[in-house]
């Protein structure tokens, strides 16, 4: 029996799954964040160690486990320099006291970005496309030949079209223009006032600038736009339509780059934007399938950490 570890490391938490070669999850553990670029190597190492320890403890296996492969899907890891840093981190993991025995070879260590494990976990195999639309956005695809293509993922200043952040910014911008008289009236004014308990829409200045709100706090305002759109607000629906167009264009670009237009494949959608009330997922699906009739747009079947486990397992089968 082969045992592998799948690690999903992000800016808010780290998830580890312990799997066997039958694709069964024997244990699952969580710990703190593991984005080394924001919290440093030592804190990242501690989080990953804790997640592994918690997964092994949850498995309740009395015998010492021999780990044959590991996959770490970490946020922000894409460049060669990042991969070298994480390789050193894996070496440190093997030097620390964990209730396991390491049997790793270089070929059985997979280091990748979190988009790949979201794809593999979401679909259940390493072929297809993932469309992430949460606080930020990115579209990532991988074909049967192992070729990959990324579109977006450039961050809230340079990109993230279709994300919750950009939807929230567009919503506030539209509300303020409406208040000025530059644009048509919109329920977004009252929406933001109620959500933020403002006396006037002008108080957005104090909230956004003087409180020094970050990306995640601003992105959390996207449901205001979603609710307005679901209620029939023309301005809000225009914002949602623009977001859908951007995500369809990004997905189409991935398809054109590494798949044929008549490919039969699955597109998994993940992130908070897809869970709204304004039927954004349905609009996206209809628009994409109109262009590519053989696509199947789905929600995730499994979590990203499971995808990391599957990628680790693949190295033991080659």
């Amino acid at each position: 029996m082969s045992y592998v570890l799948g690690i999903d490391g992000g800016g808010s938490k780290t998830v580890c799954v312990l799997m066997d070669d039958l694709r069964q999850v024997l244990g699952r553990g969580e710990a703190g964040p593991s984005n080394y670029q924001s919290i440093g190597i030592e804190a990242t190492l501690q989080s990953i160690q804790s997640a592994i320890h918690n997964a092994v403890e949850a498995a309740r296996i009395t015998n010492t486990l021999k780990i044959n492969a590991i996959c770490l899907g970490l946020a922000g890891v894409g460049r060669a320099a990042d991969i070298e840093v994480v390789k050193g981190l894996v070496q440190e993991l093997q030097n620390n006291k964990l209730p396991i025995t390491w049997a790793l070879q270089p070929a059985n260590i997979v280091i990748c970005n979190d988009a790949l494990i979201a794809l593999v976990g979401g679909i259940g195999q390493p072929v297809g496309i993932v469309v992430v639309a949460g606080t930020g956005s990115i579209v990532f695809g991988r074909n049967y030949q192992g070729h990959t293509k990324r579109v977006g993922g450039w961050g809230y200043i340079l990109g993230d079209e279709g994300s919750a952040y950009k939807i929230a910014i567009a919503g506030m911008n539209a509300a303020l223009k409406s208040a000025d008289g530059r644009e048509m009236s919109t329920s977004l004014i009252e929406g933001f006032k109620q959500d933020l308990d403002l006396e006037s829409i002008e108080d957005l200045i104090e909230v956004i600038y003087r409180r020094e709100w970050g990306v995640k706090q601003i992105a959390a305002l996207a449901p205001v736009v979603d609710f307005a759109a679901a209620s029939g607000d023309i301005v809000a629906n225009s914002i949602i339509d623009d977001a859908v167009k951007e995500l369809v264009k990004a997905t189409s670009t991935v398809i054109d780059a590494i798949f044929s237009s008549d490919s039969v494949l699955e597109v998994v959608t993940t992130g908070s934007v897809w869970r709204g009330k304004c039927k954004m997922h349905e609009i996206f699906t209809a628009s994409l399938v109109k262009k590519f009739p053989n696509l199947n747009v789905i929600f995730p079947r499994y979590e990203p950490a499971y995808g990391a486990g599957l990628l680790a397992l693949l190295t033991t089968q080659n």
Side-chain angles (χ1 to χ4, degrees):
M1 181 72 71
S2 294
Y3 296 101
V4 304
L5 295 172
I7 309 288
D8 171 22
S12 58
K13 66 178 180 179
T14 302
V15 179
C16 172
V17 296
L18 170 67
M19 293 173 60
D20 62 21
D21 51 15
L22 299 177
R23 294 189 167 197
Q24 293 179 315
V25 175
L26 306 177
R28 183 183 185 278
E30 291 191 12
S34 54
N35 186 334
Y36 85 89
Q37 298 184 41
S38 59
I39 67 171
I41 288 293
E42 287 303 316
T44 296
L45 177 63
Q46 183 59 49
S47 291
I48 294 175
Q49 280 184 188
S50 296
I52 293 173
H53 183 274
N54 293 338
V56 174
E57 287 287 305
R60 298 181 181 274
I61 297 175
T62 56
N63 297 329
T64 301
L65 292 172
K66 181 184 289 187
I67 302 301
N68 300 99
I70 186 172
C71 172
L72 300 96
L74 306 179
V77 172
R79 301 173 304 165
D82 297 322
I83 292 174
E84 288 303 314
V85 169
V86 179
K87 281 182 179 178
L89 190 151
V90 173
Q91 188 60 50
E92 286 294 319
L93 277 176
Q94 296 177 74
N95 294 333
N96 281 278
K97 294 181 179 179
L98 285 164
I100 53 181
T101 297
W102 296 98
L104 298 179
Q105 299 296 324
N108 302 123
I109 300 172
V110 181
I111 300 168
C112 61
N113 61 53
D114 51 352
L116 177 57
I117 64 171
L119 164 63
V120 179
I123 294 178
Q125 66 166 345
V127 175
I129 298 172
V130 61
V131 184
V132 181
T135 300
S137 67
I138 187 172
V139 181
F140 181 85
R142 185 180 188 276
N143 64 18
Y144 283 104
Q145 291 73 42
H147 300 141
T148 62
K149 174 66 177 177
R150 184 192 91 166
V151 174
W154 301 117
Y156 72 100
I157 294 177
L158 301 177
D160 281 351
E161 296 84 0
S163 68
Y165 176 83
K166 284 300 172 71
I167 289 172
I169 289 291
M172 288 187 285
N173 186 255
L176 293 171
K177 284 183 176 180
S178 178
D180 282 344
R182 287 184 284 165
E183 298 289 353
M184 64 187 298
S185 62
T186 171
S187 64
L188 287 170
I189 294 177
E190 287 302 314
F192 285 116
K193 285 171 60 179
Q194 291 179 16
D195 189 79
L196 295 168
D197 194 24
L198 308 177
E199 290 187 9
S200 166
I201 193 64
E202 294 177 357
D203 294 333
L204 268 178
I205 293 173
E206 192 273 332
V207 172
I208 301 301
Y209 294 117
R210 296 174 189 168
R211 297 184 195 177
E212 298 182 347
W213 270 26
V215 175
K216 290 184 178 180
Q217 291 165 300
I218 292 174
L221 297 176
V224 174
V225 182
D226 171 67
F227 180 80
S231 301
D233 186 272
I234 295 175
V235 174
N237 272 292
S238 177
I239 293 170
I240 296 299
D241 287 343
D242 287 344
V244 169
K245 288 176 183 176
E246 289 289 351
L247 293 169
V248 168
K249 185 175 183 180
T251 308
S252 300
T253 301
V254 171
I255 293 172
D256 291 339
I258 60 174
F259 297 100
S260 61
S261 59
D262 59 350
S263 294
V264 178
L265 67 136
E266 290 186 314
V267 176
V268 59
T269 51
T270 181
S272 59
V273 163
W274 302 115
R275 299 192 292 269
K277 299 178 180 179
C278 68
K279 298 184 178 180
M280 184 169 167
H281 192 268
E282 289 89 335
I283 299 168
F284 171 81
T285 299
S287 299
L288 195 62
V289 172
K290 186 176 181 180
K291 295 184 66 175
F292 306 100
N294 294 323
L295 297 186
N296 182 28
V297 182
I298 64 171
F299 284 108
R301 294 192 174 98
Y302 309 100
E303 66 176 330
Y306 185 82
L310 291 180
L311 286 170
L313 274 178
L314 283 176
T315 69
T316 68
Q317 298 166 0
N318 294 334

